[in-house]
């Protein structure tokens, strides 16, 4: 059973638009939720992360929204740029410094 | 560059051969993780170390897989008697338990192709 479910599988957005990727989890013991960005042939790179004691975290054009009661969290990319075209993975872990459970990924294509 | 490094970047082998991959974590990081990623999927956890101690192994890690971190620095992942289903990207990540957050930094991966 997949611990973290991610949608959509792929996303096409116009330059300057908002990209939204959603993730849902079941295990209420999860206490750390990162988002990773991966370009073809590269390893995942940490983008932004949140803990369940806050509902939103913003870093530049990237924002995580977290809904603890719904067990959902999402990544918003404002003013999307062609350079943002990559695959994005959400993840979750519990008990601090434990392994990550990753979502299945969202391939984002930002059209110029 | 002081990030996580992996060697080799690509490995092509024939079914039945043994392969070994190396990971060098960020120098002050005491935790080291191995994940496997197949095409179009997210990384899946294989095993992790704290210093030289292997703390957890996934059920994905069959008896043909073994990992070591002998001096608490670099780590090796060995696959014996490779099978075509082992073809994947093998990712290494490291983190520091002194940082307060589970920030895992990934290497570029080793892409394994089993013919």
């Amino acid at each position: 059973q997949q611990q973290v479910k991610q949608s959509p599988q792929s996303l096409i957005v116009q330059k300057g638009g908002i990209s939204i990727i959603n993730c849902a989890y079941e295990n209420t013991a999860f206490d750390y939720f990162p988002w990773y960005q991966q370009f073809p042939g590269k390893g995942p790179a940490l983008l932004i992360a949140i803990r369940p004691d806050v509902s939103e975290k913003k870093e530049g054009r990237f924002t995580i929204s977290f809904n603890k009661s719904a067990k959902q969290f999402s990544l918003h990319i404002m003013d999307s740029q062609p350079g943002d075209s990559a695959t994005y993975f959400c993840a979750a872990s519990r008990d601090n410094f434990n392994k990550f459970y990753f979502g299945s990924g969202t391939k984002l294509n930002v059209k110029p | 560059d002081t990030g996580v490094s992996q060697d080799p970047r690509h490995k092509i082998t024939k079914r039945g051969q043994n392969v070994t991959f190396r990971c060098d974590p960020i120098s002050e990081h005491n935790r080291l993780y191995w994940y496997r990623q197949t095409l179009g999927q997210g990384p899946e956890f294989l095993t992790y170390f704290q210093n030289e101690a292997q703390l957890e192994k996934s059920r994905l890690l069959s008896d043909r897989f073994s990992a070591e971190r002998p001096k608490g620095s670099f780590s090796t992942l060995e696959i014996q008697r490779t099978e075509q289903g082992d073809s994947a990207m093998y990712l290494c990540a490291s983190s520091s338990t002194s940082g307060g957050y589970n920030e895992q930094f990934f290497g570029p991966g080793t892409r394994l192709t089993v013919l």
Side-chain angles (χ1 to χ4, degrees), chain A residues 4-16:
Chain A
V4 179
K5 295 182 180 179
Q6 183 172 347
S7 63
Q9 189 174 8
S10 62
L11 184 60
I12 299 174
V13 173
Q14 290 296 124
K15 179 182 174 182

Side-chain angles (χ1 to χ4, degrees), chain A residues 2 9 32 34 36 38 41-46 51 89 93-94 96-105, chain B residues 9 31 33 35 37 40-43 45 48 56 89 91 95-97 100-108:
Chain A
Q2 197 169 12
Q9 189 174 8
Y32 183 75
Y36 279 83
Q38 187 176 30
K42 306 289 185 183
L46 179 64
R51 301 185 78 101
F89 294 96
S93 70
R94 59 178 175 81
N96 216 15
F97 304 109
N98 213 318
K99 64 195 176 202
F100 283 157
Y101 296 91
F102 281 88
S104 54
Chain B
R9 295 292 307 278
R31 286 248 172 147
Y33 308 78
Y35 293 84
Q37 185 178 25
Q41 298 297 317
F45 170 77
Y48 82 91
E56 186 175 350
M89 175 81 88
L91 294 163
S95 69
S96 170
T97 55
Y101 294 98
N102 191 8
E103 293 184 345
Q104 295 183 22
F105 295 87
F106 281 81

Side-chain angles (χ1 to χ4, degrees), chain A residues 19-84:
Chain A
S19 304
I20 302 175
I21 304 170
N22 301 299
C23 285
Y25 65 96
E26 286 298 323
N27 190 341
T28 55
F30 287 150
D31 60 4
Y32 183 75
F33 302 87
W35 284 90
Y36 279 83
Q37 179 189 58
Q38 187 176 30
F39 292 103
K42 306 289 185 183
L46 179 64
L47 202 56
I48 187 173
I50 198 168
R51 301 185 78 101
D53 51 346
V54 296
S55 60
E56 186 175 283
K57 183 175 181 180
K58 183 176 181 180
E59 288 184 2
R61 296 185 294 112
F62 302 93
T63 299
I64 299 178
S65 297
F66 187 83
N67 186 330
K68 189 173 181 178
S69 60
K71 293 185 286 186
Q72 295 176 347
F73 58 110
S74 60
L75 175 69
H76 296 233
I77 305 175
M78 313 300 286
D79 187 26
S80 298
Q81 299 296 313
D84 296 331

Side-chain angles (χ1 to χ4, degrees), chain B:
Chain B
D1 188 341
T2 57
V4 178
S5 62
Q6 293 187 244
D7 185 70
R9 295 292 307 278
H10 303 273
K11 179 71 176 177
I12 300 174
T13 190
K14 293 182 179 179
R15 188 176 54 188
Q17 298 294 306
N18 299 343
V19 295
T20 300
F21 311 140
R22 177 181 170 123
C23 170
D24 287 89
I26 294 171
S27 59
E28 64 270 22
H29 283 185
N30 55 347
R31 286 248 172 147
L32 188 149
Y33 308 78
W34 285 99
Y35 293 84
R36 181 171 67 187
Q37 185 178 25
T38 54
L39 204 60
Q41 298 297 317
E44 289 181 294
F45 170 77
L46 293 178
T47 187
Y48 82 91
F49 295 83
Q50 176 153 323
N51 301 315
E52 64 275 8
Q54 189 173 21
L55 297 187
E56 186 175 350
K57 291 169 58 174
S58 165
R59 285 172 291 176
L60 292 174
L61 217 63
S62 74
D63 291 344
R64 297 184 297 106
F65 288 71
S66 62
E68 293 183 340
R69 195 182 183 198
K71 297 181 180 178
S73 56
F74 74 92
S75 175
T76 58
L77 178 68
E78 181 183 18
I79 308 174
Q80 296 182 329
R81 304 180 304 280
T82 52
E83 302 173 356
Q84 288 186 325
D86 297 331
S87 295
M89 175 81 88
Y90 290 84
L91 294 163
C92 174
S94 70
S95 69
S96 170
T97 55
S98 65
Y101 294 98
N102 191 8
E103 293 184 345
Q104 295 183 22
F105 295 87
F106 281 81
T110 294
R111 180 164 295 283
L112 173 66
T113 302
V114 181
L115 302 176

